[in-house]
Amino acid sequence: MSNKSGSVRLQCAEATAADWGCCFLSLSVPPPPPAAPCDADSNCGFNLAWTLHQSFHPPAGLFASVGHKVGVGFPASSSSSGATSSGNPQDPYRKYVSPEAVETSLPVPGDGVGLRGKGKKKAVRIKIKVGNSHLKRLISGGIAGAVSRTVVAPLETIRTHLMVGSNGNSSTEVFESIMKNEGWTGLFRGNFVNVIRVAPSKAIELFAFDTAKKFLTPKSGEERRIPIPPSLVAGAFAGVSSTLCTYPLELIKTRLTIQRGVYDNFLHAFVKIVREEGPAELYRGLTPSLIGVVPYAATNYFAYDTLKKVYKKMFKTNEISNVPTLLIGSAAGAISSTATFPLEVARKHMQVGAVGGRKVYKNMLHALLTILEDEGVGGLYRGLGPSCMKLVPAAGISFMCYEACKKILIEEEDE
């Protein structure tokens, strides 16, 4: 480009200062100032200067000229800054621009400055205030229990039938028998009662676990209060607490699942059992149930707490998202279910009692020995496959929902 470069300027007509409509963009081609001529190292081009009428803006104006640092073909001459500082600007319009503004450069993409990209979309997070931490744990536990048990209700029905040996000897036979005789609704038989039982049970269980663990865990600098891991004791305490409160619901749910046609609904089953067999019948099998729940809950919560610590240490993070929580909870459920399954089988046999001409067991040991004698070791693990299919995802979903609900339900001090 020749040295006769043009200059684009913003000028205003001779009007009032408030009349912004007078501004227009004009292209004038004045003679070039007697500055240093362009050489091979300079990038000659248009000089871009922005100014307004002197009567509107004082000498320390708001608009700066764009110098050669812009790097897009609008360089200023090398003598401009020197002329400005001497008080004799070669460009007559430069007098309206402050010296500080003259030195200001505009960033341009491609010259080490990137364009501002679109901001990332923020996920919508729901926060609900609750009164205190105890209420938060109870609500979170109830929701977790209801959701997890509803999702795995068909597997729970198949598992129960396999344990007591009704409707077939395999998961496929039980499923086909239920579908043939009852349809899809048969897979969810007793689920309403199951949700009613599990929701308060999980609420009490998770609340008891968190409370006991918080109490037993020593603070920084304190000595250990017990010689065994706090999560192990807290898990056992949580299992006992929930079982004592909800065991009658568990027994009625089992009766509704097995004794089809005997009871119309939950209330009818409750009244009939109390009237014909006595109130104590609602707690039949409580002792073996407690014996089975204590090791299961202790193992489950201990495994969950341990796996969480391993995950945090491995990935060096204090926050665990939903998917890892689901996997950790499922792994904990698989470990605890496999270790304590024979006790669960004995408990189910004792709950059914003498229904359909079945044997009546005196105690847990008698039930275990009788099953071992009649069916062998395989009888103690009958239904382990569908049990794991049900318990493993149920445990994972339960822990995931519980942790997610605790994040949604916040206390005032958590804000």
Side-chain angles (χ1 to χ4, degrees), residues 164-166 255 258-260 262-263 277 349 351-360:
V164 298
S166 61
R255 292 287 186 93
I258 301 302
Q259 298 176 262
R260 298 185 303 272
V262 178
Y263 307 108
E277 305 178 49
H349 276 270
Q351 283 182 336
V352 173
V355 176
R358 301 180 184 278
K359 294 182 179 180
V360 178

Side-chain angles (χ1 to χ4, degrees), residues 259-272:
Q259 298 176 262
R260 298 185 303 272
V262 178
Y263 307 108
D264 297 333
N265 49 49
F266 173 79
L267 182 60
H268 179 248
F270 175 79
V271 173
K272 188 172 183 179

Side-chain angles (χ1 to χ4, degrees), residues 139-159:
I139 295 175
S140 300
I143 295 174
V147 172
S148 63
R149 286 304 183 269
T150 300
V151 171
V152 298
L155 296 176
E156 165 72 4
T157 301
I158 295 174
R159 181 183 73 116

